Amino acid sequence: MESQCLSRPSPAPSRPGPLSSFVRFVVCGGGVGLLSSAAVPMLAAAMPWAVANALVTVAGTLLCTELHALFTFGTGRRPDWRRHMQSSGSAVAAYLATTAAMFALYAVQPSPGMFWEQTVYLTASGLAGVGRFLVLRLFVFAERNERDQRNERDHRVTRSETLLPGEPNLRLIPGTDTGHRQVAPTHPALITAAA
């Protein structure tokens, strides 16, 4: 006999609105960005600036993707590798923007001081950050993407569901205890006709 208490999945956490998400994005991304801005010049003393920037960008992107999934956009779970890869696309753009800005600074002033390096790097990072927020909010962690994937999974025929032989538009409904087989239409025209 089946248990009378069926466990229900916990409801999805409420997602923050656009303004709240942006504030969280600034706090998380800005905090990691400030740490990055201190780390890049220190590493650049031991290696080329572009390499130091690349290393810090990769580490910062991994950390930020975790923070954004859990805190900024409130998905309620850690990001999978697909989301990490999508997020890294925006990080590549940020890397190119900050590196181009630094190359432009060195073209204009061959030996800038730490103040100018920080100013240019933080400005370029800020502009790239706004672009990243839009990409992450609208594409990577978009609520509609998760809903569409969930709907797609729910509508696939699983092992427990069986298409009836000779009736490609009907499938068996699993888990019925009425003593007879129930079928459900799978073709849209049959769904409206059956209703």
Side-chain angles (χ1 to χ4, degrees), residues 32-166:
V32 172
L34 287 173
L35 292 173
S36 297
S37 72
V40 170
M42 286 187 244
L43 283 175
M47 61 185 70
W49 185 276
V51 174
N53 191 14
L55 291 174
V56 170
T57 300
V58 167
T61 299
L62 291 173
L63 177 60
C64 278
T65 302
E66 294 286 335
L67 291 172
H68 293 325
L70 297 172
F71 180 69
T72 303
F73 301 109
T75 63
R77 64 181 179 276
R78 293 184 63 194
D80 56 9
W81 282 108
R82 181 182 61 84
R83 285 208 167 92
H84 272 292
M85 295 305 292
Q86 290 173 334
S87 178
S88 69
S90 64
V92 167
Y95 166 74
L96 293 174
T98 55
T99 300
M102 294 310 295
F103 281 142
L105 172 65
Y106 282 109
V108 172
Q109 188 176 10
S111 57
M114 181 70 91
F115 172 78
W116 284 110
E117 288 178 344
Q118 291 293 311
T119 301
V120 170
Y121 183 80
L122 289 174
T123 301
S125 293
L127 293 174
V130 170
R132 279 197 79 210
F133 173 78
L134 293 173
V135 167
L136 295 176
R137 172 113 178 134
L138 299 175
F139 299 105
V140 177
F141 297 110
E143 187 173 352
R144 66 174 160 53
N145 287 345
E146 289 181 10
R147 186 179 61 242
D148 292 345
Q149 288 172 355
R150 202 170 33 251
N151 287 341
E152 183 181 307
R153 272 194 311 265
D154 292 345
H155 287 94
R156 278 191 226 138
V157 175
T158 63
R159 289 180 193 259
S160 62
E161 296 175 341
T162 308
L163 291 177
L164 294 174

Side-chain angles (χ1 to χ4, degrees), residues 164-194:
L164 294 174
E167 295 290 336
N169 295 322
L170 296 177
R171 65 180 166 86
L172 289 178
I173 301 174
T176 58
D177 59 351
T178 60
H180 64 279
R181 298 188 328 176
Q182 291 184 352
V183 294
T186 60
H187 191 274
L190 293 176
I191 293 172
T192 56

Side-chain angles (χ1 to χ4, degrees), residues 13-43:
S14 63
R15 293 186 179 254
L19 184 59
S20 177
S21 288
F22 186 73
V23 169
R24 293 174 181 201
F25 180 84
V26 169
V27 169
C28 292
V32 172
L34 287 173
L35 292 173
S36 297
S37 72
V40 170
M42 286 187 244
L43 283 175

